[in-house]
Amino acid sequence: MILSVSRRTDIPNYYSAWFYNRIKEGFLYVRNPMNVHQISEIKITPDVVDCIVFWTKNPLPMMARLDELKAYSYYFQFTLTGYGNDVEVNVPDKKTTMIPVFRELSNRIGRERVIWRYDPIFFTDKYTAQYHLKAFRDIAEALNGYTEKCVISFGDIYAKNRKKMESLSYSELQDGELRKFAKELSGIAHDNRMEIGSCAEKIDLNDCGIVHNCCIDKTLIEKITGCRLKAGKDKNQRVECGCVESIDVGTYGTCKNGCIYCYANDSAKSVEANAAKYDPSSPLLCSRVETGDRVSLRKTVSLKETQLSMFDI
């Protein structure tokens, strides 16, 4: 089993105490987003968890306790963009805070286990293609030697972010302009010793030097664990998504980063109300078991096959 922590909310930034408590207890509860009264109890002991994938804009709050994860394999998807606080409202300053945090994390766990995400990319009068290219170059140069891979994506419009995105007067590049832009990103990444891939994009950018990426990456997990995995595509994700199957342990409507482009929150008011329910000792994130809830044990097993031989590496 692979744990996704989490596409739905920034657990490392805001709820790491809860997650560390769940590691100690060896289990957690997750509500079904499509049926809120259905709760799964999930065993998360090292014998069944093959890898943990952390998604975050700021892992600093959990870094002092990383030793508590020594029995687990894990890596980070670390989002670091050129947007200011008009777009990523509560994210600390990138140059003075987040780049040093990225470097510190890389030094502690290894650059292959910290993936840099520059996403989503969207264009406005302020955040032009040239703006992004400069910001991307500045960050890439600062992270040279601290990561092996960069992941990009282009912004999508959802019901939950449409109004806010429209308030920014976002625009789209024509195909030729987009490919020129992508090729320049690719060149910058390669100049700074990074592979570059796209996340869940319909457009094929191979001719620009950008491959379709797998964020929950079977190949990387096999490299980190030293074992083959019997894991298939995650059927709960979009067709274009290359990720393998995982269990997400987050809760929608709880991320306090305040990003304008967020698809996981309804409103700042609902986030505030949900976050007020946060209890680090509860098996549920920002929630408690209530009357009418049904808790059932979800079967979890290791996906590992056999130990890799020297000839497989």
Side-chain angles (χ1 to χ4, degrees):
M1 172 183 64
I2 301 165
L3 285 186
S4 175
V5 185
S6 158
R7 284 186 174 98
R8 300 170 183 170
T9 188
D10 195 332
I11 288 176
N13 195 359
Y14 299 108
Y15 307 113
S16 61
W18 172 81
F19 187 73
Y20 280 124
N21 284 339
R22 295 298 90 222
I23 289 292
K24 287 181 180 179
E25 295 288 336
F27 76 97
L28 51 74
Y29 289 171
V30 179
R31 286 190 186 274
N32 184 336
M34 307 305 294
N35 182 352
V36 295
H37 290 296
Q38 181 180 325
I39 298 173
S40 295
E41 178 180 339
I42 300 170
K43 181 182 177 183
I44 57 170
T45 49
D47 59 311
V48 294
V49 175
D50 301 308
C51 190
I52 305 170
V53 181
F54 293 106
W55 309 70
T56 187
K57 287 185 170 67
N58 183 8
L60 184 60
M62 76 177 297
M63 284 170 58
R65 299 175 62 182
L66 285 176
D67 288 347
E68 295 178 38
L69 300 176
K70 62 185 178 182
Y72 296 83
S73 296
Y74 62 90
Y75 65 96
F76 281 79
Q77 296 276 347
F78 192 139
T79 298
L80 187 52
T81 71
Y83 298 117
N85 291 125
D86 57 330
V87 173
E88 296 175 342
V89 179
N90 296 318
V91 179
D93 184 85
K94 312 298 175 61
K95 185 175 181 179
T96 61
T97 303
M98 298 322 305
I99 286 174
V101 168
F102 193 109
R103 288 170 167 175
E104 180 184 350
L105 180 62
S106 174
N107 284 335
R108 288 191 60 181
I109 69 173
R111 64 185 183 182
E112 74 281 358
R113 294 205 284 156
V114 190
I115 312 301
W116 171 33
R117 302 185 68 88
Y118 191 96
D119 81 308
I121 299 170
F122 60 86
F123 305 98
T124 69
D125 290 342
K126 176 180 179 179
Y127 297 109
T128 63
Q130 289 305 310
Y131 179 101
H132 279 296
L133 289 171
K134 182 182 184 305
F136 187 84
R137 183 183 299 279
D138 289 346
I139 298 172
E141 290 176 351
L143 299 184
N144 189 332
Y146 293 94
T147 185
E148 295 181 349
K149 180 183 281 188
C150 174
V151 176
I152 66 164
S153 72
F154 296 101
D156 291 314
I157 304 302
Y158 303 91
K160 290 185 178 182
N161 70 3
R162 179 176 297 278
K163 187 175 293 187
K164 289 183 178 180
M165 290 294 289
E166 288 176 347
S167 72
L168 295 173
S169 300
Y170 74 95
S171 60
E172 297 181 2
L173 298 185
Q174 297 299 314
D175 184 74
E177 295 175 307
L178 185 63
R179 290 185 178 279
K180 181 174 183 265
F181 173 79
K183 191 169 184 178
E184 290 190 59
L185 288 182
S186 176
I188 294 168
H190 291 138
D191 286 346
N192 288 280
R193 300 183 293 165
M194 302 172 192
E195 296 179 13
I196 184 167
S198 63
C199 174
E201 289 295 330
K202 293 180 181 179
I203 187 171
D204 187 342
L205 298 173
N206 275 297
D207 61 335
C208 302
I210 299 175
V211 300
H212 284 294
N213 181 67
C214 306
C215 299
I216 297 185
D217 187 344
K218 179 182 176 182
T219 301
L220 177 59
I221 294 171
E222 289 179 338
K223 179 181 178 181
I224 291 172
T225 62
C227 294
R228 294 188 187 279
L229 289 184
K230 188 177 181 181
K233 175 178 165 47
D234 192 333
K235 297 177 182 177
N236 294 317
Q237 303 301 321
R238 290 175 286 175
V239 173
E240 297 81 17
C241 178
C243 292
V244 295
E245 57 196 295
S246 64
I247 295 177
D248 199 295
V249 303
T251 300
Y252 286 116
T254 61
C255 185
K256 296 188 283 186
N257 285 329
C259 301
I260 297 297
Y261 51 74
C262 182
Y263 61 83
N265 293 337
D266 288 315
S267 67
K269 187 175 181 180
S270 66
V271 171
E272 183 179 2
N274 291 331
K277 302 173 187 176
Y278 175 53
D279 177 358
S281 64
S282 172
L284 275 167
L285 180 59
C286 296
S287 181
R288 290 186 175 276
V289 179
E290 301 174 354
T291 302
D293 289 338
R294 301 181 303 278
V295 180
S296 57
L297 183 64
R298 179 167 178 172
K299 183 180 179 181
T300 53
V301 295
S302 172
L303 303 174
K304 292 179 180 176
E305 292 186 326
T306 58
Q307 189 72 23
L308 287 173
S309 75
M310 62 181 292
F311 301 104
D312 295 314
I313 299 175

